[in-house]
Amino acid sequence: MLQIKFNRSHNQLAASSNTANRSLKADDALLLVAASEGDSNMLYAVGFFVPDPFIFFQHKKKKYVVMSDLELDRAKRQATVDQVLSLSGYQRKLRKAGSPATMIGILELLFRERGIRSLRVPANFSALLADQLRAKGFNLEVMPDPFFPEREIKRAQEVRHITESLRVAKLGLNAGIRMLKRTESRPDGYLYLNGSKLTSETLKTAVNTTIMAQGWLPSHTIISSGNQCVDPHHEGTGPIKANTSIIFDIFPRSQKNGYFGDLSRTVVRGRASDKLKKIYSTVQAGQKIGFDLIRDGLNGREVHQKILDLFAREGFPTGQIKGRMQGFFHGTGHGLGLDIHEAPRIAPVDATLKSGHVVTVEPGLYYLGIGGVRLEDVVLVTDKGNKNLTDCPQFLEI
Amino acid sequence: MLQIKFNRSHNQLAASSNTANRSLKADDALLLVAASEGDSNMLYAVGFFVPDPFIFFQHKKKKYVVMSDLELDRAKRQATVDQVLSLSGYQRKLRKAGSPATMIGILELLFRERGIRSLRVPANFSALLADQLRAKGFNLEVMPDPFFPEREIKRAQEVRHITESLRVAKLGLNAGIRMLKRTESRPDGYLYLNGSKLTSETLKTAVNTTIMAQGWLPSHTIISSGNQCVDPHHEGTGPIKANTSIIFDIFPRSQKNGYFGDLSRTVVRGRASDKLKKIYSTVQAGQKIGFDLIRDGLNGREVHQKILDLFAREGFPTGQIKGRMQGFFHGTGHGLGLDIHEAPRIAPVDATLKSGHVVTVEPGLYYLGIGGVRLEDVVLVTDKGNKNLTDCPQFLEI
């Protein structure tokens, strides 16, 4: 799923913070308070899904979670930490001491017991808890992203999880393609399935239920057609015409381990215009630049610029046309893992690719009246180049 | 979906903050920086889904969003705000002034232009941005939850959205029940479907694909059986036996508007033990206490305590038994809306119910060796009582 430019501000935000002095002092602790279902740093830290917020901290190379009685047993079995502490135990201690068993009370007790005075928290840490911890005298340092820099470099198992999610994305895509192949076009220009106009919604049902049946979660799948494609975050709605571009952008998340797949393909049911065919082959050529260049040490900005240059040379400029952004106006790629969009980016920002990065390569071209094309594969960056983790053919007309 | 006790700490955290002096001064602005897909305050504020973080602020009763070029058109059509500002416009202004177009730079420019010096942000606001705003001289007040107190009181349209999501939850449940009815039990004690052991995973596929086909997102559906039920957050896994409790806890979210449904039912394929039947009717009686008592002005703690008392009188105590929490050890209910768990709670904490609250009523009883029962309906609190929004029968044996 393409990433819009706004996130650049976030990256620059991080880059502009003082990251030089990040060496962890021995007595500093890392602290997270979040639900692992909604926070990918927490999921990375503990390795299992919990729907409600809880405490994780890391001190002197040991990892701890503080769990309610309800989650204690599951945490002991599943959490990838050194020690599971009992929340109710700390609540009882506080009440015995006549203090309310609040979150801040529990944190204070936890850290005082261990002589911890300095805490490092992620950028998205609760501003309220941050204020409360400082009011209690803790030295709190808010770290710019990435909080766990090692998250960028995928371990072999993480690569397998992502590859598996890509396989499921492809199953979903294939269900959509199969449905499209069962449609007929009528003189009104629309595609019909079993006598009714085929809609984006019907196609999404085919794709999403196929993915769901595998146990993956397909949220906000994009299946847009025609001019809808020119708004790349348009999820797609309504009837679909024959002979026009249909973009599938499918990013299922495993409900077991949380890793995403991310796959985009563009097809036409019927015949594509010559212009659209030219756009399609140009986007393919743009993607090939990515496949050819991406390797350890490369600056993502360079790849992105070379693709833009190719597109311009081929007659496909990027910019405002009749008040609308057209051309190639999103990033070439983004990191993929426990977040659908994570570092590094391949975009008009400096970002050095490293072995172990897993990134999308998804150039696109979008013009009103012609349609849009986006092709997205996922590659693992290696010392010598990259390995395409996506095993899915590309074809335009079906 | 039941809420574990840990959140009590969050509620107490909020309660312990100074909420007395919350009247908004005329020049204060409310500020959110978040993706509306992941942050329900943002979704409430703008009414449409955006996958990446953006800026919302409210000043002198006017609401603003700052959107990237990609989202500008969609925001103008869909966002429930007074003005849509262009992110790239502010980025250009900053670059012209020789400043980096960072998030903090944009926020500073936005607020200086409007003479805004004081900002109110939610508890989950980024601690990093909070630090940066204060460093720029802004007076930042971090508000305890709820940031939008009006979110607790559901408008008629919100009640309709929740009711619709409950209808979809019921469709999912029915798909599971239908599948169960097609199973046979064999001498090994397990249920078989088409010659294979029926698993929680297979049942979830039936439930979740049915929900997905409606366009709703069924994440982390719980279908657990037997002793798994005694760990109420256990999502359920593996083969299911005949004559044992099977808990369905289904909470689909609309992908159009973000509102959740939440439905739990417990069934047995085959014959329930007398003990399990007694538990089932006792949980029903507990739920009836909720239906009978809940009305504007009632303290949720009172309902919860009365249900606990009934359970104890009927011979079903709550507490540690053989090192495991057993009995009724989660809340009676929670608010439901854009979050699966929101205020108010019906639990061992003070919380006055008000007309317009939409809350779950979901007592449960869980004992090792017997199984678990949870029954969950959703009601709208009214001046005179409450209205059950769930239209779904209750039966144990199928």
Side-chain angles (χ1 to χ4, degrees):
Chain A
M1 188 206 190
L2 67 150
Q3 188 172 22
I4 59 170
K5 285 190 179 170
F6 187 80
N7 277 38
R8 184 160 44 166
S9 309
H10 278 275
N11 278 19
Q12 289 180 352
L13 169 76
S16 71
S17 300
N18 177 13
T19 55
N21 188 17
R22 288 192 61 180
S23 61
L24 201 64
K25 279 158 271 163
D27 279 352
D28 282 3
L30 300 181
L31 170 65
L32 300 174
V33 180
S36 55
E37 257 186 52
D39 187 278
S40 49
N41 280 330
M42 184 60 107
L43 186 55
Y44 188 81
V46 305
F48 81 124
F49 282 107
V50 182
D52 293 307
F54 62 97
I55 299 165
F56 164 89
F57 66 99
Q58 184 173 341
H59 184 229
K60 295 186 177 167
K61 299 192 175 167
K62 278 205 168 180
K63 297 178 178 181
Y64 305 81
V65 287
V66 185
M67 306 307 295
S68 72
D69 289 339
L70 255 189
E71 305 280 12
L72 261 184
D73 291 328
R74 203 161 64 91
K76 283 177 185 167
R77 284 195 311 273
Q78 299 180 10
T80 55
V81 300
D82 298 292
Q83 202 176 347
V84 178
L85 303 170
S86 160
L87 175 68
S88 63
Y90 282 93
Q91 289 172 327
R92 273 192 299 274
K93 279 190 195 177
L94 284 169
R95 286 196 202 99
K96 260 190 199 165
S99 307
T102 57
M103 174 67 82
I104 182 65
I106 289 161
L107 289 171
E108 190 184 11
L109 182 55
L110 270 175
F111 298 141
R112 294 234 186 279
E113 278 185 354
R114 288 168 179 75
I116 297 171
R117 305 288 316 146
S118 291
L119 300 163
R120 295 179 169 222
V121 300
N124 71 347
F125 192 80
S126 155
L128 185 64
L129 265 185
D131 281 2
Q132 292 176 324
L133 284 163
R134 283 170 174 155
K136 293 282 184 187
F138 289 97
N139 171 26
L140 195 82
E141 190 176 358
V142 185
M143 309 300 292
D145 291 324
F147 186 65
F148 293 120
E150 61 270 32
R151 259 186 68 189
E152 279 190 29
I153 306 300
K154 267 64 181 180
R155 300 178 298 253
Q157 194 191 36
E158 295 179 281
V159 173
R160 280 194 297 274
H161 289 332
I162 293 167
T163 306
E164 189 70 1
S165 294
L166 287 166
R167 185 189 62 78
V168 171
K170 180 186 170 185
L171 289 177
L173 175 71
N174 287 348
I177 302 284
R178 275 197 307 277
M179 180 176 274
L180 273 173
K181 285 184 173 169
R182 287 167 44 217
T183 60
E184 51 167 10
S185 82
R186 292 201 182 164
D188 64 2
Y190 286 97
L191 295 174
Y192 281 76
L193 182 72
N194 304 328
S196 300
K197 277 184 183 167
L198 176 76
T199 62
S200 283
E201 288 82 351
T202 306
L203 264 182
K204 273 188 257 191
T205 295
V207 171
N208 289 345
T209 56
T210 301
I211 288 169
M212 198 77 235
Q214 298 287 318
W216 268 250
L217 215 57
S219 58
H220 297 284
T221 296
I222 293 171
I223 303 181
S224 61
S225 67
N227 281 338
Q228 286 175 5
C229 300
V230 186
D231 179 354
H233 273 180
H234 198 306
E235 290 181 21
T237 179
I240 297 177
K241 286 188 171 170
N243 313 315
T244 191
S245 59
I246 307 169
I247 292 180
F248 290 80
D249 192 341
I250 304 172
F251 34 101
R253 187 181 205 203
S254 163
Q255 292 195 90
K256 272 189 198 146
N257 53 54
Y259 285 87
F260 280 92
D262 199 354
L263 174 68
S264 299
R265 288 293 183 264
T266 304
V267 299
V268 169
R269 172 66 170 159
R271 302 299 299 266
S273 67
D274 288 345
K275 196 85 179 166
L276 194 60
K277 281 183 190 168
K278 177 75 194 299
I279 287 180
Y280 191 88
S281 62
T282 305
V283 171
Q284 281 187 311
Q287 215 191 12
K288 187 168 181 301
I289 291 179
F291 297 149
D292 287 347
L293 292 185
I294 288 173
R295 58 175 299 157
D296 182 90
L298 186 77
N299 188 340
R301 180 200 284 273
E302 191 182 319
V303 186
H304 186 74
Q305 189 57 49
K306 285 200 166 140
I307 296 174
L308 272 172
D309 292 347
L310 169 80
F311 289 175
R313 274 201 313 278
E314 296 290 328
F316 299 112
T318 294
Q320 292 273 344
I321 304 174
K322 294 182 185 163
R324 282 282 294 272
M325 281 302 286
Q326 301 189 51
F328 176 35
F329 50 96
H330 57 72
T332 292
H334 55 81
L336 185 70
L338 293 175
D339 280 317
I340 178 70
H341 293 155
E342 54 180 61
R345 300 192 63 201
I346 304 180
V349 292
D350 290 314
T352 304
L353 298 175
K354 293 180 203 158
S355 283
H357 279 165
V358 170
V359 293
T360 67
V361 184
E362 50 173 321
L365 280 169
Y366 314 91
Y367 295 99
L368 286 172
I370 304 172
V373 171
R374 183 163 63 259
L375 296 170
E376 175 182 35
D377 289 51
V378 173
V379 304
L380 169 67
V381 181
T382 65
D383 287 351
K384 294 183 178 169
N386 62 82
K387 185 190 167 194
N388 197 326
L389 304 179
T390 304
D391 174 22
C392 183
Q394 298 185 345
F395 42 80
L396 179 58
E397 292 178 342
I398 59 171
Chain B
M1 188 206 188
L2 69 149
Q3 190 173 19
I4 58 171
K5 285 190 178 172
F6 188 78
N7 276 39
R8 181 158 48 164
S9 309
H10 277 276
N11 276 19
Q12 289 180 352
L13 170 77
S16 69
S17 301
N18 177 13
T19 56
N21 188 18
R22 288 193 61 179
S23 61
L24 201 61
K25 280 158 270 166
D27 280 350
D28 283 2
L30 300 181
L31 170 65
L32 300 174
V33 181
S36 55
E37 258 186 51
D39 187 280
S40 49
N41 280 330
M42 184 60 107
L43 186 55
Y44 188 81
V46 305
F48 82 124
F49 281 106
V50 183
D52 293 307
F54 62 97
I55 299 165
F56 164 91
F57 67 99
Q58 183 174 342
H59 184 228
K60 293 184 177 168
K61 296 192 177 169
K62 279 203 168 181
K63 295 177 180 181
Y64 305 81
V65 286
V66 185
M67 306 305 294
S68 74
D69 290 339
L70 254 191
E71 305 282 12
L72 261 183
D73 291 327
R74 203 162 64 91
K76 283 176 183 165
R77 285 195 310 273
Q78 298 180 12
T80 55
V81 299
D82 298 291
Q83 201 175 347
V84 178
L85 303 171
S86 159
L87 175 70
S88 63
Y90 282 92
Q91 288 173 326
R92 274 193 298 274
K93 280 190 195 177
L94 284 170
R95 286 196 204 100
K96 261 189 199 165
S99 307
T102 57
M103 173 67 81
I104 182 68
I106 290 162
L107 290 171
E108 189 183 11
L109 182 57
L110 270 174
F111 298 141
R112 295 234 185 278
E113 279 185 355
R114 288 168 177 76
I116 296 171
R117 303 288 316 146
S118 290
L119 300 163
R120 295 180 170 222
V121 299
N124 71 347
F125 192 79
S126 154
L128 185 64
L129 266 184
D131 281 1
Q132 292 176 325
L133 283 164
R134 283 169 175 156
K136 292 283 185 188
F138 289 97
N139 172 25
L140 195 82
E141 190 176 357
V142 184
M143 310 299 291
D145 290 325
F147 186 64
F148 294 121
E150 61 270 33
R151 258 185 70 188
E152 278 190 29
I153 306 300
K154 266 67 181 179
R155 302 178 297 253
Q157 194 191 37
E158 295 179 281
V159 174
R160 280 195 297 273
H161 289 332
I162 293 168
T163 306
E164 189 70 0
S165 294
L166 287 167
R167 186 189 62 79
V168 171
K170 179 185 170 185
L171 289 178
L173 175 71
N174 287 348
I177 301 283
R178 275 198 307 277
M179 180 175 274
L180 273 173
K181 285 184 174 170
R182 288 167 44 219
T183 61
E184 52 165 8
S185 82
R186 292 201 182 164
D188 64 3
Y190 287 97
L191 296 173
Y192 281 76
L193 181 73
N194 305 327
S196 299
K197 276 183 185 170
L198 176 76
T199 62
S200 282
E201 289 82 352
T202 306
L203 264 182
K204 273 188 254 190
T205 295
V207 170
N208 289 345
T209 57
T210 301
I211 288 169
M212 199 75 235
Q214 299 286 317
W216 267 250
L217 213 56
S219 57
H220 297 283
T221 297
I222 293 170
I223 304 180
S224 61
S225 67
N227 280 339
Q228 287 175 3
C229 300
V230 185
D231 178 355
H233 273 181
H234 199 306
E235 290 180 20
T237 180
I240 297 177
K241 287 189 169 170
N243 312 314
T244 191
S245 59
I246 306 170
I247 292 180
F248 290 79
D249 191 341
I250 303 171
F251 34 102
R253 187 182 204 201
S254 164
Q255 291 195 92
K256 274 191 197 144
N257 53 53
Y259 285 88
F260 280 92
D262 200 354
L263 173 68
S264 299
R265 289 291 183 265
T266 304
V267 298
V268 168
R269 172 65 171 161
R271 302 301 299 268
S273 67
D274 287 345
K275 196 84 180 170
L276 193 59
K277 282 182 188 168
K278 177 74 194 297
I279 287 180
Y280 191 88
S281 61
T282 305
V283 171
Q284 281 189 310
Q287 218 192 8
K288 187 168 182 301
I289 290 179
F291 298 150
D292 287 346
L293 292 184
I294 287 174
R295 59 176 298 156
D296 182 271
L298 185 76
N299 189 339
R301 180 199 285 272
E302 190 181 321
V303 185
H304 186 74
Q305 190 56 50
K306 285 200 166 142
I307 296 174
L308 271 173
D309 292 347
L310 169 78
F311 288 175
R313 272 202 313 277
E314 295 291 328
F316 300 112
T318 294
Q320 292 273 345
I321 304 176
K322 293 181 186 166
R324 281 283 294 272
M325 281 302 286
Q326 300 189 53
F328 175 35
F329 49 96
H330 57 72
T332 292
H334 55 80
L336 185 70
L338 292 174
D339 280 317
I340 177 70
H341 292 153
E342 54 181 60
R345 299 191 64 202
I346 304 178
V349 292
D350 290 314
T352 304
L353 298 175
K354 293 181 202 157
S355 285
H357 278 165
V358 170
V359 292
T360 67
V361 183
E362 50 175 319
L365 280 170
Y366 315 89
Y367 294 98
L368 285 172
I370 303 170
V373 171
R374 182 162 66 257
L375 297 169
E376 175 182 34
D377 288 50
V378 173
V379 305
L380 169 66
V381 180
T382 65
D383 287 352
K384 295 184 178 169
N386 62 82
K387 183 186 168 196
N388 196 328
L389 304 179
T390 304
D391 173 22
C392 184
Q394 298 185 344
F395 43 79
L396 179 58
E397 291 178 343
I398 59 171

